[in-house]
Amino acid sequence: MTGTDFAQGGPVTHGATPIISLRGVRKSFGPLEVLKGIDLNVYPGEHVVLFGPSGSGKSTVLRSINLLETPSAGSLQVDGFEYGTPVPGESLPQGRPLQLRRTVGMVFQQFNLFPHLTALDNVALPLRSVQGLSRRDAQEKSALALDRVGLLPRAAHHPSQLSGGQQQRVAIARALALDPKVMLFDEPTSALDPELVGEVLRTMRLVAETGMTMVVVTHEIGFAREIGDLNVFMEDGRVVESGGRGFYDACESPRAREFIMAVR
């Protein structure tokens, strides 16, 4: 059978295997449970948007996918490896955190650039430390990554010489340079002045257009409408409702509709 179906509301080709699968993922910080049984499939090439009020658990989902937070319970499968609690009856090999981070790139709210390094060297540093490239090879690959985000002319600039939007684009280039299979974006425009948001969103659109698998936490509903193959509304550590293209006009949850109207 061929064609397109909707798994959790997102367009999925029949027979596709998720590159990321969360099943019953929970996360607690002491007595506070912030994820209360998250089920989520992300398919190769899919763009997934997580949105909802502050404290709903969106960023914790991303940080769990990248093992920056270790799930308290549940299965976390990424690219054929298990990083959480194995599902009974399944026998995927157990993955290691370093292996996972070679597969999954992440861009944070803050840029996390080293102030004493140039843009080029900020991108090159993980290429040398994670991939073991020589300085010359790392710089050549970094230059290509900066060119992808339109910042090659700023390669010799330090972070203090770049705008906030440019710094975030350097952070995107740093993640892309590692050739990940998946990119996670955790509210990448939230620390920017409003006039700088557009340049970062344009860069993210370009990344999406390459077919990169993306999971994005954002309040930029206009951008989410553009790229969201699967849109997931979260509240209180749970998935309230999810859907594909057109979700923002057709969602059934009163709480999701109220939130969308508030952030438009």
Side-chain angles (χ1 to χ4, degrees):
M1 186 175 182
T2 60
T4 300
D5 200 354
F6 282 82
Q8 298 179 328
V12 176
T13 302
H14 284 295
T17 300
I19 190 169
I20 297 173
S21 182
L22 283 69
R23 286 187 262 184
V25 168
R26 296 178 176 272
K27 178 62 183 177
S28 296
F29 297 99
L32 178 64
E33 188 175 41
V34 296
L35 296 183
K36 301 175 181 179
I38 300 296
D39 296 317
L40 178 67
N41 286 334
V42 180
Y43 292 83
E46 191 174 34
H47 307 140
V48 177
V49 174
L50 306 181
F51 73 106
S54 297
S56 60
K58 310 177 300 295
S59 293
T60 305
V61 169
L62 285 197
R63 294 175 67 85
S64 296
I65 291 173
N66 206 26
L67 287 187
L68 293 175
E69 302 292 351
T70 304
S72 304
S75 169
L76 168 62
Q77 299 175 3
V78 181
D79 197 28
F81 290 87
E82 176 66 68
Y83 294 93
T85 303
V87 175
E90 295 189 2
S91 56
L92 291 180
Q94 197 74 24
R96 297 183 179 183
L98 181 59
Q99 174 186 6
L100 175 67
R101 290 173 190 145
R102 287 173 175 162
T103 303
V104 179
M106 188 161 181
V107 178
F108 300 87
Q109 297 178 29
Q110 302 299 328
F111 323 126
N112 298 323
L113 301 180
F114 290 100
H116 64 289
L117 297 180
T118 64
L120 186 72
D121 287 337
N122 264 287
V123 177
L125 183 62
L127 290 171
R128 300 188 68 190
S129 60
V130 175
Q131 293 190 346
L133 297 187
S134 68
R135 179 178 178 83
R136 178 177 177 178
D137 288 346
Q139 289 190 334
E140 288 181 356
K141 196 168 184 181
S142 298
L144 290 173
L146 287 173
D147 192 41
R148 287 181 67 182
V149 301
L151 284 179
L152 186 56
R154 300 286 191 274
H157 288 58
H158 288 78
S160 62
Q161 299 170 300
L162 302 173
S163 70
Q166 289 171 336
Q167 290 183 62
Q168 189 62 292
R169 286 156 62 196
V170 171
I172 293 172
R174 179 177 57 190
L176 288 173
L178 292 168
D179 298 321
K181 294 183 178 181
V182 178
M183 285 281 287
L184 310 178
F185 294 87
D186 187 9
E187 298 194 50
T189 61
S190 65
L192 300 177
D193 293 332
E195 65 269 22
L196 301 177
V197 169
E199 66 182 84
V200 173
L201 295 183
R202 283 193 294 274
T203 299
M204 292 173 64
R205 286 188 193 96
L206 292 175
V207 175
E209 288 168 4
T210 68
M212 174 68 72
T213 306
M214 296 167 58
V215 185
V216 182
V217 171
T218 186
H219 290 312
E220 300 289 340
I221 296 299
F223 176 71
R225 284 177 180 270
E226 291 180 38
I227 72 155
D229 297 316
L230 174 64
N231 304 278
V232 180
F233 177 72
M234 293 185 60
E235 187 168 46
D236 192 29
R238 297 182 174 90
V239 173
V240 175
E241 187 180 356
S242 63
R245 300 282 179 172
F247 175 78
Y248 298 95
D249 297 315
C251 59
E252 298 179 357
S253 163
R255 183 66 184 98
R257 291 200 302 269
E258 178 187 15
F259 183 84
I260 290 167
M261 292 298 297
V263 299
R264 274 180 174 168

